[in-house]
Amino acid sequence: MKVLVIGSGGREHALCWAISKSPNCDELYCAPGNAGIEKVAITIPIAVSDLSSILDFVKKNSINFVVVGPEGPLVDGLIDHLEDLGIPAFGPNARAAEYEGSKGLTKDLCDRYNIPTARYARFNEPNAAKDYIRVNGSPIVVKADGLAAGKGVFICYDDNQAYSAIDLIMTKSAFGEAGSEVVIEELLVGEEASFFVLVDGKTILPLVPAQDHKAAFDGDKGPNTGGMGAYCPAPLVTKEIADRVMNEIIIPTIRGAAADNRPFKGVLFAGLMITEEGPKLIEYNVRFGDPECQPIMMRLKSDALELLLACAEGRLDQYNIEWHKSAALCVVMAAEGYPGSYKKGTEIKGLDMASKENDVMVFHAGTAKKNMFIVSNGGRVLSVTALGKTIKEAKKRAYKAVNLIDWPDGYCRKDIGWRAIKD
Ligand code: AMP
Ligand code: GLY
């Protein structure tokens, strides 16, 4: 079978690596890919936003199955176009992808179907939004409604911060159209978890829950990033919590989405806050998390291609997902300066040595080849992921590999997994 993966991050490297192990994968392509993905797939220089070139490629090369990594092409309707061509594809169509594309849409779904989440209000006019802050006070959370690459969320501890966030989003249009509307929410207190389910239209199969570290610096301090590390399992998500998440959040969402004529297919990623009252939904993403996907793919024992194809073709009812018993942990290495401005094109050495470590995968994200060398080509650059009997052991292995990588222009957090490792 000929498979095409869309994307260029650590998540897509992990997906390509897992899919390439399947005996049914005859040819694997990735658009646009990166320098690491080149080792397991043929990379095609087509941007994820260039849907017409992707569709041309699919037709000309008789691709049998497409797996879409990032949210952009999902929200833009890539799955709808592929379905029109009769080509199986993994991911939701544009209408269902709007649950990530509009935070307000998801909040309204929660409201209609009694799904536990933070209290909220939606505004398309800044003065009304500020009046709401005046009445409700801080702390409060202000969010651009649309896609803002993880940068459109402001946790505001005083009212002035909240007014400034509204000005930045709505008056200064810092996120363009994504900020034409804001969602203002109650601040939830607790620990976060990432909960993933595969949905084929009828069957819902939970994957292993994970946790990521969004803040740039140790101790979960500093600006928010796309994610600086992740691990699974998530000890916080006990069997009891997982059952509550399924019954109170996931199942009502999937039913509600279908009733609202947005039936969901693909992977639904619930960002949760585990509060004293129980799990509450922060937001939905309609794709795998990055970096959560990397440890999840390393623990997956089942054939990844078969699983994702069964999901796309509505056959999950015949599926029992198998996992390695071990834990997995991923450390993200980012360019110095990320998530602010950073240099590209800096040389990275030691990758081969790090990759030779047992039970370690060095997944690439923002990397490129320059002459014979691997250089940085983005903010998050590598996802060093290891298996271990425990999270603690996986952490030790991951950092051993990180220390073999010689990249003076990069940095990583030193404490990934700290919430899960008690001693
Ligand atoms: P989102 O893009 O909506 O997932 O928000 C990004 C991050 O902001 C989340 O992972 C949380 O750390 C934080 N966050 C968002 N909404 C809330 C909330 N209502 N209460 C507390 N933290 C939040
Ligand atoms: N790691 C969080 C995300 O992928 O959005």
Side-chain angles (χ1 to χ4, degrees), residues 178-234:
S180 59
E181 190 176 322
V182 290
V183 175
I184 304 185
E185 288 181 13
E186 160 201 15
L187 180 79
L188 294 175
V189 178
E191 202 176 318
E192 286 181 56
S194 304
F195 197 94
F196 299 88
V197 290
L198 294 181
V199 188
D200 70 355
K202 303 182 291 282
T203 305
I204 307 174
L205 279 188
L207 304 181
V208 281
Q211 278 184 280
D212 82 342
H213 292 269
K214 287 216 169 67
F217 307 131
D218 284 10
D220 292 319
K221 304 244 162 53
N224 259 0
T225 70
M228 294 299 291
Y231 51 91
C232 70

Side-chain angles (χ1 to χ4, degrees), residues 5-23:
V5 173
I6 305 294
S8 61
R11 167 181 53 205
E12 288 75 21
H13 190 179
L15 287 169
C16 284
W17 167 77
I19 290 169
S20 70
K21 291 190 293 180
S22 169

